[in-house]
PDB file of all heavy atoms in Angstrom:
ATOM      1  N   PHE J 304      22.429  13.428 -17.343  1.00 91.00           N
ATOM      2  CA  PHE J 304      22.691  13.881 -18.711  1.00 91.00           C
ATOM      3  C   PHE J 304      21.615  14.884 -19.051  1.00 91.00           C
ATOM      4  O   PHE J 304      20.446  14.529 -19.143  1.00 91.00           O
ATOM      5  CB  PHE J 304      22.596  12.715 -19.698  1.00 91.00           C
ATOM      6  CG  PHE J 304      23.820  11.866 -19.782  1.00 91.00           C
ATOM      7  CD1 PHE J 304      24.008  10.821 -18.891  1.00 91.00           C
ATOM      8  CD2 PHE J 304      24.787  12.114 -20.749  1.00 91.00           C
ATOM      9  CE1 PHE J 304      25.141  10.024 -18.971  1.00 91.00           C
ATOM     10  CE2 PHE J 304      25.921  11.317 -20.838  1.00 91.00           C
ATOM     11  CZ  PHE J 304      26.111  10.280 -19.944  1.00 91.00           C
ATOM     12  N   SER J 305      21.985  16.133 -19.224  1.00 88.00           N
ATOM     13  CA  SER J 305      20.954  17.051 -19.691  1.00 88.00           C
ATOM     14  C   SER J 305      21.337  17.603 -21.048  1.00 88.00           C
ATOM     15  O   SER J 305      22.513  17.747 -21.368  1.00 88.00           O
ATOM     16  CB  SER J 305      20.691  18.153 -18.663  1.00 88.00           C
ATOM     17  OG  SER J 305      21.873  18.819 -18.346  1.00 88.00           O
ATOM     18  N   GLY J 306      20.329  17.866 -21.815  1.00 87.00           N
ATOM     19  CA  GLY J 306      20.606  18.356 -23.149  1.00 87.00           C
ATOM     20  C   GLY J 306      19.329  18.624 -23.911  1.00 87.00           C
ATOM     21  O   GLY J 306      18.243  18.282 -23.446  1.00 87.00           O
ATOM     22  N   GLY J 307      19.470  19.240 -25.056  1.00 84.00           N
ATOM     23  CA  GLY J 307      18.316  19.571 -25.878  1.00 84.00           C
ATOM     24  C   GLY J 307      17.775  18.351 -26.592  1.00 84.00           C
ATOM     25  O   GLY J 307      18.277  17.240 -26.441  1.00 84.00           O
ATOM     26  N   ALA J 308      16.714  18.593 -27.359  1.00 83.00           N
ATOM     27  CA  ALA J 308      16.099  17.494 -28.096  1.00 83.00           C
ATOM     28  C   ALA J 308      17.089  16.963 -29.128  1.00 83.00           C
ATOM     29  O   ALA J 308      17.809  17.728 -29.782  1.00 83.00           O
ATOM     30  CB  ALA J 308      14.838  17.983 -28.775  1.00 83.00           C
ATOM     31  N   THR J 310      19.842  15.267 -28.758  1.00 86.00           N
ATOM     32  CA  THR J 310      21.273  15.244 -28.459  1.00 86.00           C
ATOM     33  C   THR J 310      21.741  13.838 -28.082  1.00 86.00           C
ATOM     34  O   THR J 310      22.895  13.638 -27.780  1.00 86.00           O
ATOM     35  CB  THR J 310      21.618  16.221 -27.309  1.00 86.00           C
ATOM     36  OG1 THR J 310      20.715  15.991 -26.227  1.00 86.00           O
ATOM     37  CG2 THR J 310      21.525  17.659 -27.763  1.00 86.00           C
ATOM     38  N   LYS J 312      20.427  11.722 -25.580  1.00 90.00           N
ATOM     39  CA  LYS J 312      20.404  11.370 -24.161  1.00 90.00           C
ATOM     40  C   LYS J 312      20.030   9.901 -23.959  1.00 90.00           C
ATOM     41  O   LYS J 312      20.660   9.197 -23.187  1.00 90.00           O
ATOM     42  CB  LYS J 312      19.409  12.271 -23.407  1.00 90.00           C
ATOM     43  CG  LYS J 312      19.789  13.736 -23.390  1.00 90.00           C
ATOM     44  CD  LYS J 312      18.779  14.560 -22.632  1.00 90.00           C
ATOM     45  CE  LYS J 312      17.395  14.562 -23.274  1.00 90.00           C
ATOM     46  NZ  LYS J 312      17.383  15.141 -24.623  1.00 90.00           N
ATOM     47  N   ARG J 430      17.652  14.401 -18.786  1.00 87.00           N
ATOM     48  CA  ARG J 430      16.761  15.539 -18.599  1.00 87.00           C
ATOM     49  C   ARG J 430      16.835  16.416 -19.831  1.00 87.00           C
ATOM     50  O   ARG J 430      17.922  16.830 -20.256  1.00 87.00           O
ATOM     51  CB  ARG J 430      17.193  16.323 -17.360  1.00 87.00           C
ATOM     52  CG  ARG J 430      16.298  17.486 -17.033  1.00 87.00           C
ATOM     53  CD  ARG J 430      16.653  17.994 -15.648  1.00 87.00           C
ATOM     54  NE  ARG J 430      16.381  19.415 -15.544  1.00 87.00           N
ATOM     55  CZ  ARG J 430      15.181  19.910 -15.279  1.00 87.00           C
ATOM     56  NH1 ARG J 430      14.158  19.119 -15.133  1.00 87.00           N
ATOM     57  NH2 ARG J 430      15.017  21.208 -15.189  1.00 87.00           N
ATOM     58  N   LEU J 431      15.686  16.669 -20.360  1.00 85.00           N
ATOM     59  CA  LEU J 431      15.602  17.526 -21.548  1.00 85.00           C
ATOM     60  C   LEU J 431      15.590  18.978 -21.115  1.00 85.00           C
ATOM     61  O   LEU J 431      14.772  19.378 -20.295  1.00 85.00           O
ATOM     62  CB  LEU J 431      14.314  17.212 -22.322  1.00 85.00           C
ATOM     63  CG  LEU J 431      13.997  18.121 -23.500  1.00 85.00           C
ATOM     64  CD1 LEU J 431      14.959  17.858 -24.648  1.00 85.00           C
ATOM     65  CD2 LEU J 431      12.564  17.940 -23.948  1.00 85.00           C
ATOM     66  N   ILE J 432      16.514  19.749 -21.649  1.00 81.00           N
ATOM     67  CA  ILE J 432      16.477  21.187 -21.346  1.00 81.00           C
ATOM     68  C   ILE J 432      16.705  21.975 -22.616  1.00 81.00           C
ATOM     69  O   ILE J 432      17.350  21.503 -23.556  1.00 81.00           O
ATOM     70  CB  ILE J 432      17.540  21.608 -20.294  1.00 81.00           C
ATOM     71  CG1 ILE J 432      18.925  21.072 -20.676  1.00 81.00           C
ATOM     72  CG2 ILE J 432      17.153  21.190 -18.911  1.00 81.00           C
ATOM     73  CD1 ILE J 432      20.043  21.746 -19.943  1.00 81.00           C
ATOM     74  N   SER J 433      16.203  23.158 -22.634  1.00 71.00           N
ATOM     75  CA  SER J 433      16.454  24.038 -23.767  1.00 71.00           C
ATOM     76  C   SER J 433      17.751  24.799 -23.500  1.00 71.00           C
ATOM     77  O   SER J 433      18.246  24.843 -22.379  1.00 71.00           O
ATOM     78  CB  SER J 433      15.286  25.011 -23.928  1.00 71.00           C
ATOM     79  OG  SER J 433      15.223  25.828 -22.782  1.00 71.00           O
ATOM     80  N   ILE J 453      26.530  15.929 -16.787  1.00 90.00           N
ATOM     81  CA  ILE J 453      27.055  15.968 -18.145  1.00 90.00           C
ATOM     82  C   ILE J 453      26.057  16.711 -19.017  1.00 90.00           C
ATOM     83  O   ILE J 453      24.859  16.402 -19.004  1.00 90.00           O
ATOM     84  CB  ILE J 453      27.268  14.530 -18.673  1.00 90.00           C
ATOM     85  CG1 ILE J 453      28.312  13.831 -17.814  1.00 90.00           C
ATOM     86  CG2 ILE J 453      27.663  14.542 -20.144  1.00 90.00           C
ATOM     87  CD1 ILE J 453      28.288  12.327 -17.921  1.00 90.00           C
ATOM     88  N   VAL J 454      26.542  17.706 -19.715  1.00 89.00           N
ATOM     89  CA  VAL J 454      25.647  18.499 -20.553  1.00 89.00           C
ATOM     90  C   VAL J 454      25.941  18.219 -22.023  1.00 89.00           C
ATOM     91  O   VAL J 454      27.103  18.222 -22.450  1.00 89.00           O
ATOM     92  CB  VAL J 454      25.782  20.000 -20.240  1.00 89.00           C
ATOM     93  CG1 VAL J 454      25.010  20.831 -21.262  1.00 89.00           C
ATOM     94  CG2 VAL J 454      25.272  20.288 -18.837  1.00 89.00           C
ATOM     95  N   LEU J 455      24.886  17.943 -22.757  1.00 89.00           N
ATOM     96  CA  LEU J 455      24.997  17.706 -24.188  1.00 89.00           C
ATOM     97  C   LEU J 455      24.442  18.927 -24.902  1.00 89.00           C
ATOM     98  O   LEU J 455      23.329  19.357 -24.615  1.00 89.00           O
ATOM     99  CB  LEU J 455      24.195  16.453 -24.566  1.00 89.00           C
ATOM    100  CG  LEU J 455      24.477  15.205 -23.732  1.00 89.00           C
ATOM    101  CD1 LEU J 455      23.506  14.093 -24.085  1.00 89.00           C
ATOM    102  CD2 LEU J 455      25.908  14.744 -23.937  1.00 89.00           C
ATOM    103  N   THR J 456      25.212  19.482 -25.787  1.00 86.00           N
ATOM    104  CA  THR J 456      24.730  20.669 -26.502  1.00 86.00           C
ATOM    105  C   THR J 456      24.689  20.385 -27.998  1.00 86.00           C
ATOM    106  O   THR J 456      25.368  19.500 -28.506  1.00 86.00           O
ATOM    107  CB  THR J 456      25.623  21.897 -26.230  1.00 86.00           C
ATOM    108  OG1 THR J 456      26.980  21.487 -26.325  1.00 86.00           O
ATOM    109  CG2 THR J 456      25.355  22.473 -24.865  1.00 86.00           C
TER     110      THR J 456
END
Side-chain angles (χ1 to χ4, degrees):
Chain J
F304 279 86
S305 55
T310 49
K312 295 180 296 298
R430 183 168 151 83
L431 173 71
I432 50 164
S433 64
I453 297 161
V454 171
L455 309 173
T456 45

